[in-house]
């Protein structure tokens, strides 16, 4: 045993305590900022509702400034930092953090610096400046900056994102999308490769798939929309493998919301990617059968969860990835009340990862075409159906987080708006689940040639009401619409 | 004014910087080396890690970042070589490079924990032989904020279909089906059904859904937190072992079952190689439970179940066989393992057939603590199988025999005596000593006889130990033998220590019956070797004081009137001892009060 020098231990202790403090206060700060900005978007400054939120925020900041010289909130690579400490959010604080990062991104600033002696007036001015900032103008950062200066806000400043060449091309939206596609298809090909080696009984090297999953996770943490929208395209050539990747993307996104660590996320991603690996052992005539399966064939199909375990078992090594994946493969057709298959003798509950993957799996399957069920459900319909089964089939709270993540109208939903236009949902809005961003693909006369992106939270200045609201979803299949064209 | 040479100054600054980077990398390398040499928890690697952290922090205080380029066998800083691997493969640079790392950077704000994580990952990579152990993955999972690496991204060489490539005709016949039965999910909707769901009812549903969706009630938050905590606590292997059992139960095809058992055997081997003895133990216990279940089931006549039970038994028995247990000794020796609780747990879990191989571990293990652990295992496992343990007494290595004897003694089963008999004349004194000590605790006449026979041992120390053993057991059978020896003329020539012990043991065993014999001994006169004789007399007086009877006290009072001053004094002392014993007997209430 060594005895460490007391000074060092003390110093370490101090930083540890400070870090814990920052983690806790940071979370409250982000949540309070979110609430304050949202309230400021709806109410006047003199309104009691806002006043209370503004006071809360001011109190929090004051307390922080007593301990820290300044408050430095930074948004970087999908995370928020408070004075260099990375904040962690679980499902309850997730919306606030995403909202704040989105606000930063749209207004083109990377960090927010607050210093003493801040006055309550300055803070209110700033919150209202953020709440009503024009995000669509030519130069949102400059215009916000101007407003800060003209309102005489002296103790809050914003810092612009580092210049483009510094951040790299990756940050450009088009490149992000391109990259996401590459990751997506690479994962498909890796999954395919692994499944095929499972079929031939060759031992599987998992390094490739682990790396592919890491890239997916990094992408999802930074920006989940691009990958999520890819999962809504169901007509890729080899759907089986795309299905695996879809389930992987959806599961990991749910995991991110739950605040899982990277280590857990990669296990979850791996397990989700190979949840159906047991299918490689099913006879091809069943796998490729075009018509309805008979009872005997179903009997075979129901073996795939166990086959999955056997396939993964034949791998050379046994690590936490494969044990997790085996559990998920085994359990992914079991419902929360343990009905479903395979047959059980002892089991009393389902693994967290299985609960997550089951939700992702059913959602993706329901929204995809099946040979025998000719019409896939629209995404919102699928969610509604799943919600009807909550408590029996799915973990109700996880399902709730899942729907919060996808929105009521998930990416890829085709909807009719009260303006008479038809649109495809492009991006969920965590703050308002029924008001996503969307692409208008046809105007009220059914003309299809123009495509415009709109935000459903936008309010018409004249009427004071939302410009557009979703009336209902439609089945793109019935209308012969190919959504892939719009979101791909 | 002298001209200031900026260029030279600048170059010199650079040189200083380069040198300190070289030192830092060397320190990193030495830290790794120390980790490979010393076992976990040794202060030396700890100190290295601390130094590395302090030096790096110091560097980063002035430089903000330290970026190293990684090449196949060397590291570069600012395009200059700062480190080169030696001749052998497996150096610092090689290890980083092999998994695709091309740049390693330390950033300002570096934390001690991050350095420990980095070094831990590098150490694991250097030690591991597993091809699937991926350093990039491990580092990535550690999610370090101030240590970044640039990795070759070979995952981008993929054809991404263009939008036109995606079929737009929704040709479902080309899609492989999903195995999810719509009816099972309550999603079976006929076409009419879909049209029936009117816009209104949908809107209604959506609104309801919205209301409940946005906020999470405290119960809901709690339920998720519980789920996450449960998952954190649960080791991934537990869930895996549970599902294996489920599959074993349901498996209808014996050859499939058998194949899985082969896999299980392999997994057990892997777990042991990874020194994950805890999981291995869990696995074995699971298998044993399963075997029992197969045997216990009412349809025990079911041949499949019987076969499954037998096959499972084979796996567990196999784990306890010589070569597998030998492998464990090897691992414990090679890896200098010092924490044995899980090893113990694993050895416990095995069937009794493992006892002999485990005994052999006593011969193979280098560490004393490891051998003690094995003894503890044997004490527990051998309880019902002293015969199996007993076989260990015929081992050629004295220390194995001695440990086995120790275990037999601790178990204290009468069935063990016959094996002790075999080694009671073992050439090694240490073994004989252990045998006699073991006989202390073993009941039955055989053990007593053996102790008596040890009175003839050629080594005085063994004889004395045997005497103590006999006294402790109050072995009546020993009385005639002892009287024989005591009565012998040559007795007085024995070493004082042996004489004293023999007389005292005799008194302890014979009690009242010894009094007249001992008095006679004190009264006996002898003109030869008077010193020796007097010595014997004094020991006999001492022995008398051990007898808890009024007659003994009376005898001592009588003897205290002897002319011989030494005898008188001895008697007085003996009487004091008795007195003291008596008062102490009256005292206990007082003692507890204070
Ligand atoms: Fe499945
Ligand atoms: Fe699936």
């Amino acid at each position: 045993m060594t005895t460490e020098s007391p000074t060092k231990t003390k110093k370490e202790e101090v930083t540890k305590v400070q870090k814990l403090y920052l983690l806790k206060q940071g979370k409250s700060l982000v949540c309070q900022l979110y609430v304050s900005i949202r309230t400021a978007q709806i109410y006047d400054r003199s309104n009691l509702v806002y006043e209370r939120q503004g006071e809360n925020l001011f109190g929090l900041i004051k307390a922080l400034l007593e301990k820290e010289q300044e408050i430095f909130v930074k948004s970087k690579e999908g995370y928020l930092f408070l004075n260099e400490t990375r904040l962690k959010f679980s499902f309850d604080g997730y919306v606030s953090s995403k909202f704040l990062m989105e606000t930063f991104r749209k207004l083109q600033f990377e960090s927010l610096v607050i210093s003493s002696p801040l006055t309550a007036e300055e803070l209110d001015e700033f919150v209202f400046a953020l709440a009503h900032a024009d995000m669509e103008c030519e130069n949102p950062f400059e215009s916000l900056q101007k407003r800060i200066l003209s309102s005489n806000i002296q103790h809050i400043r914003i810092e612009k994102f580092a210049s483009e060449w510094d951040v790299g091309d990756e940050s450009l939206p088009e490149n992000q999308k391109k990259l996401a596609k590459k990751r997506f298809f690479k994962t498909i090909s890796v999954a395919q490769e692994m499944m095929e080696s499972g079929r031939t009984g060759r031992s599987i090297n998992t390094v490739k798939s682990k790396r592919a999953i890491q890239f997916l996770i990094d992408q999802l943490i930074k920006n989940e929309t691009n990958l999520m929208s890819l999962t809504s395209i169901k007509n890729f050539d080899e759907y089986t493998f795309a299905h695996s990747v879809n389930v992987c993307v959806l599961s990991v996104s749910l995991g991110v919301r739950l605040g899982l660590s990277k280590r857990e996320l990669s296990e979850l991603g791996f397990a989700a990617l190979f949840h159906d690996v047991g299918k490689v052992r099913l006879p091809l005539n069943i796998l490729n059968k075009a018509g309805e399966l008979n009872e005997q064939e179903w009997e075979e199909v129901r073996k795939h969860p166990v086959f999955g375990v056997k396939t993964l078992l034949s791998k050379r090594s046994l690590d936490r990835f494969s044990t997790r994946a085996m559990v998920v493969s085994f359990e992914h057709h079991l419902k929360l009340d343990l009905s479903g298959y395979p047959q059980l003798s002892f089991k009393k509950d389902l693994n967290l990862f299985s609960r997550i993957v089951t939700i992702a799996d059913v959602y993706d399957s329901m929204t995809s075409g099946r040979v025998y069920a000719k019409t896939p459900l629209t995404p919102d319909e699928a969610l509604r159906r799943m919600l009807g089964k909550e408590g029996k089939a799915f973990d109700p709270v996880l399902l709730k987080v899942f729907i919060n993540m996808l929105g009521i109208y998930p990416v890829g939903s085709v909807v009719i708006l009260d303006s008479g236009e038809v649109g495809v949902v492009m991006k969920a809005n965590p703050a308002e689940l029924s008001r996503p961003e969307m692409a208008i693909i046809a105007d009220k006369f059914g003309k299809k040639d123009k495509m415009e992106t709109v935000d459903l939270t936008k309010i018409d200045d004249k009427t004071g009401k939302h410009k557009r609201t979703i009336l209902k979803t439609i089945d793109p299949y019935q209308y012969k619409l190919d959504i892939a064209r719009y979101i791909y | 004014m002298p001209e200031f040479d900026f260029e030279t100054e600048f170059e010199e600054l650079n040189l200083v910087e380069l040198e300190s980077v070289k030192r830092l990398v060397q320190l990193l390398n030495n830290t790794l080396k120390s980790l490979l040499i010393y076992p976990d928890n040794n202060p030396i690697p700890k100190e290295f890690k601390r130094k590395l952290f302090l030096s790096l922090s110091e560097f980063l205080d002035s430089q903000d970042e330290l970026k190293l380029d990684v090449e196949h066998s060397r590291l570069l800083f600012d395009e200059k070589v700062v480190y080169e691997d030696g001749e052998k493969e497996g150096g610092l640079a090689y290890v980083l490079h092999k998994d695709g790392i091309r740049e390693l950077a330390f950033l300002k704000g570096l934390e001690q924990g991050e350095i420990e994580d980095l070094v831990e990952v590098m150490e694991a990579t250097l030690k591991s032989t597993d091809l699937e152990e991926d350093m990039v993955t491990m580092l990535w999972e550690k999610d370090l904020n101030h240590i970044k690496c640039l990795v070759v991204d070979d995952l981008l060489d993929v054809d991404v279909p263009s939008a036109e490539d995606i079929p737009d005709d929704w040709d479902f016949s080309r899609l492989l089906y999903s195995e999810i039965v719509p009816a099972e999910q309550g999603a079976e909707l006929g076409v009419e059904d879909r049209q029936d769901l009117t816009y209104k009812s949908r809107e209604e549903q959506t609104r309801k859904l919205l209301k409940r969706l946005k906020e999470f009630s405290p119960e809901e938050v709690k339920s998720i937190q519980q789920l996450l905590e449960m998952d954190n606590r649960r080791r991934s292997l537990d869930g895996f072992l549970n599902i294996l059992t489920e599959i074993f139960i349901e498996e209808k095809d014996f050859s499939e079952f058998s194949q899985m058992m082969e896999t299980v055997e392999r997994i057990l081997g892997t777990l042991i190689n990874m020194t994950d003895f805890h999981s291995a133990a869990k696995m074995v216990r699971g298998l044993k439970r399963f075997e029992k279940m197969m045997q216990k089931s009412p349809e025990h006549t079911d041949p499949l179940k019987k076969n499954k039970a037998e096959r499972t038994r084979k796996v567990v028995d196999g784990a306890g066989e010589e070569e597998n247990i030998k492998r464990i000794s090897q691992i414990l020796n090679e890896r200098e393992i010092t924490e044995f609780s899980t090893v113990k747990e694993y050895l416990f879990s095995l069937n009794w057939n493992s006892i002999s191989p485990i005994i052999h571990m006593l011969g193979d293990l280098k560490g004393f603590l490891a051998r003690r652990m094995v003894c503890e295992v044997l004490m527990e496992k051998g309880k019902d199988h002293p015969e199996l343990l007993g076989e260990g007494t015929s081992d050629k290595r004295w220390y194995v025999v001695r440990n086995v004897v120790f275990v037999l003694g601790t178990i204290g089963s009468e069935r063990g005596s016959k094996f002790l008999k075999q080694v009671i004349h073992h050439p090694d004194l240490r073994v004989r000593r252990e045998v006699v000590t073991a006989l202390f605790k073993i009941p039955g006449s055989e053990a007593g006889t053996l102790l008596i026979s040890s009175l003839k041992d050629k080594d005085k120390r063994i004889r004395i130990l045997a005497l103590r053993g006999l006294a402790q057991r109050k072995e009546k059978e020993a009385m005639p033998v002892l009287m024989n020896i005591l009565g012998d003329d040559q007795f007085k020539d024995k070493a004082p220590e042996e004489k004293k012990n023999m007389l005292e043991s005799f008194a302890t065993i014979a009690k009242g019956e010894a009094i007249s014999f001992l008095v006679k001994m004190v009264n006996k006169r002898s003109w030869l070797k008077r010193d020796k004789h007097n010595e014997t007399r004094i020991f006999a007086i001492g022995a008398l004081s051990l007898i808890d009877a009024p007659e003994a006290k009376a005898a001592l009072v009588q003897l205290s009137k002897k002319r011989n001053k030494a005898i008188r004094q001895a008697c007085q002392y003996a009487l004091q001892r008795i007195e003291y014993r008596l008062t102490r007997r009256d005292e206990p209430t007082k003692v507890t009060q204070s």
Side-chain angles (χ1 to χ4, degrees), chain A residues 63-96:
Chain A
L64 253 167
L65 281 175
E66 271 166 30
K67 295 222 170 188
E68 305 282 320
Q69 286 186 332
E70 55 176 25
I71 297 173
F72 183 75
V73 183
K74 188 167 80 177
S75 161
K76 201 180 166 196
E77 289 165 1
Y79 294 108
L80 279 171
F81 296 79
L82 171 60
N83 294 7
E84 296 297 328
T85 295
R86 195 170 93 193
L87 303 177
K88 292 188 183 109
F89 292 93
S90 181
F91 64 103
D92 47 344
Y94 192 85
V95 171
S96 319

Side-chain angles (χ1 to χ4, degrees), chain A residues 86 235 237 240 310 320 488, chain B residues 141 143 161 167 174 176 251:
Chain A
R86 195 170 93 193
N235 41 339
D237 255 357
T240 313
K310 290 181 178 174
R320 61 197 169 84
Y488 187 65
Chain B
E141 285 183 348
D143 200 7
R174 287 169 62 193
L176 295 177
E251 184 60 68

Side-chain angles (χ1 to χ4, degrees), chain A residues 243 275-276 361, chain B residues 179:
Chain A
H243 167 65
H275 76 281
D276 270 339
D361 185 30
Chain B
E179 73 286 356

Side-chain angles (χ1 to χ4, degrees), chain A residues 362-426:
Chain A
V362 170
Y363 173 75
D364 189 63
S365 300
M366 279 181 153
T367 51
S368 326
R370 288 173 297 266
V371 179
Y372 46 86
K374 288 164 194 73
T375 42
L377 301 181
T378 58
D380 63 314
E381 186 66 56
L383 289 182
R384 250 189 291 273
R385 295 267 142 188
M386 288 170 75
L387 211 63
K389 291 254 135 189
E390 75 174 288
K392 280 182 233 122
F394 312 106
D395 185 298
V397 193
L398 287 179
L399 181 60
K400 204 165 157 179
V401 180
F402 187 71
I403 297 176
N404 263 283
M405 166 180 102
L406 292 178
I408 306 286
Y409 305 100
V411 178
S413 300
V414 182
V415 299
I416 294 183
L417 302 170
D418 59 355
S419 60
E421 294 158 309
V422 178
V424 180
V425 176
M426 303 294 280

Side-chain angles (χ1 to χ4, degrees), chain A residues 285-303:
Chain A
N285 63 333
I286 295 187
L287 267 184
N288 296 332
K289 186 168 175 179
E292 186 114 20
L293 299 176
N294 60 36
E295 191 40 44
Q296 213 180 346
E297 288 162 331
W298 265 118
E299 199 56 16
E300 273 302 299
V301 170
R302 291 202 183 97
K303 289 181 182 166

